[in-house]
Amino acid sequence: MGIEEKVPSGFLLTTVEKFAGFARRGSLWPATFGLACCAIEMMATTGGRYDIARFGMEAFRASPRQADLMIVAGRVSQKMAPVLRQVYDQMAEPKWVLAMGVCASSGGMFNNYAVVQGVDHVVPVDIYLPGCPPRPEMLMNAIITLHHKIQEMPLGVNRELAIAEAEKAALASPTTLELKGLLR
Ligand code: SF4
């Protein structure tokens, strides 16, 4: 008989790791970081019609020190890249990055010397969202997908083990994206 059957109902059993994941995913604070047209859709997501507050993240922070999610909404110019990196470095750990739209994900139609061909050249990206621009529903879907990743994020020794495994996998295949997400 498992312990769940012995204790009276009303008890909730979990692990610190799962509880931390639950708390983190339910209280993401995005940094205000709109760069181009995609930012209009990001702003629409915070409005009453789409109401991102339902997911505990209506408070976009103007200071990166109070934010743990960077939504890169729009194309990144070469001039903006060092600024973006500085904002990322100022954000508190643990932190996540969402590349919103084709421009942020790969440079999109701006295949030229002035635009960074994917924000993953500057910061580690946790989730890529295609579209030009992605609609608010798509942004919410990407964020909820990211929530699952945050919920499963290992802590302490488990995190070190996961990093070691990702490093091993990266040696076998240098393009492994998992490593980017774990090594901060
Ligand atoms: S993906 Fe489209 S909407 Fe978004 S920044 Fe690029 S051109 Fe603008």
Side-chain angles (χ1 to χ4, degrees):
M1 187 189 282
I3 190 166
E4 293 88 351
E5 290 148 38
K6 289 186 188 161
V7 295
S9 63
F11 267 73
L12 181 65
L13 298 175
T14 187
T15 62
V16 171
E17 200 167 61
K18 283 192 175 150
F19 185 72
F22 173 76
R24 279 176 176 165
R25 75 152 208 232
S27 58
L28 274 182
W29 282 14
T32 311
F33 208 78
L35 290 170
C37 7
C38 271
I40 302 297
E41 299 298 315
M42 181 178 72
M43 286 183 256
T45 314
T46 64
R49 185 176 177 91
Y50 297 101
D51 194 14
I52 206 173
R54 288 175 289 158
F55 307 105
M57 47 189 298
E58 71 276 25
F60 275 61
R61 309 312 297 176
S63 167
R65 298 185 201 287
Q66 298 167 354
D68 53 7
L69 172 64
M70 175 185 268
I71 301 174
V72 184
R75 54 196 169 265
V76 184
S77 66
Q78 296 287 355
K79 270 193 142 181
M80 195 64 185
V83 180
L84 185 140
R85 180 68 210 198
Q86 188 172 0
V87 170
Y88 174 80
D89 287 339
Q90 288 172 336
M91 286 166 62
E93 288 279 0
K95 54 194 167 188
W96 297 272
V97 177
L98 190 159
M100 181 180 179
V102 285
C103 291
S105 299
S106 67
M109 67 292 286
F110 299 100
N111 185 9
N112 62 49
Y113 62 86
V115 173
V116 176
Q117 299 299 295
V119 72
D120 52 8
H121 290 281
V122 186
V123 291
V125 173
D126 293 281
I127 187 156
Y128 298 84
L129 173 58
C132 176
R135 286 186 53 81
E137 296 95 330
M138 295 168 71
L139 178 58
M140 285 195 289
N141 182 57
I143 290 170
I144 290 166
T145 307
L146 182 62
H147 281 178
H148 295 312
K149 184 174 176 178
I150 294 169
Q151 172 75 64
E152 299 305 322
M153 194 173 136
L155 293 180
V157 182
N158 291 347
R159 184 171 163 81
E160 283 161 25
L161 282 174
I163 288 174
E165 273 174 29
E167 277 174 337
K168 218 195 267 178
L171 284 176
S173 160
T175 55
T176 301
L177 293 174
E178 286 157 30
L179 186 62
K180 287 186 181 177
L182 286 163
L183 291 179
R184 292 290 163 83

